[in-house]
Amino acid sequence: MTVRSPGLSIRLSHGWVWQEPRVLGGSVRLNQVNYIVDPGYTEWAVAPVRAGKATVHIQGLPQSKGSPQDVTFTFHVS
């Protein structure tokens, strides 16, 4: 995913228990979005910091039975 301007976000369903996202690389910063009324997901705004590449790793466990899920996003900032 190429980041050229602000406005990207990562939304994580409440059907899962998610760990805190880990960012590898310094090209993006994640800012958690806090809502007054719960929208049914946890949201992280992706903010470009400098040109380069960053990878975001998130692990989740389903609320019911199931296996852990690893989610990875790679961002290219130009």
Side-chain angles (χ1 to χ4, degrees):
M1 185 173 298
T2 302
V3 179
R4 294 175 199 252
S5 63
L8 294 176
S9 64
I10 297 171
R11 292 181 178 172
L12 305 171
S13 167
H14 282 339
W16 292 70
V17 177
W18 297 99
Q19 291 184 347
E20 189 84 10
R22 293 181 299 129
V23 179
L24 302 174
S27 295
V28 299
R29 181 182 63 241
L30 297 182
N31 300 308
Q32 188 168 14
V33 178
N34 295 306
Y35 292 94
I36 294 173
V37 176
D38 185 355
Y41 53 83
T42 301
E43 182 172 4
W44 295 86
V46 180
V49 175
R50 64 175 179 258
K53 178 180 170 182
T55 304
V56 177
H57 294 283
I58 310 165
Q59 185 179 62
L61 292 168
Q63 296 252 357
S64 57
K65 293 182 181 180
S67 300
Q69 177 78 28
D70 289 318
V71 179
T72 302
F73 298 94
T74 301
F75 297 94
H76 298 273
V77 179
S78 55

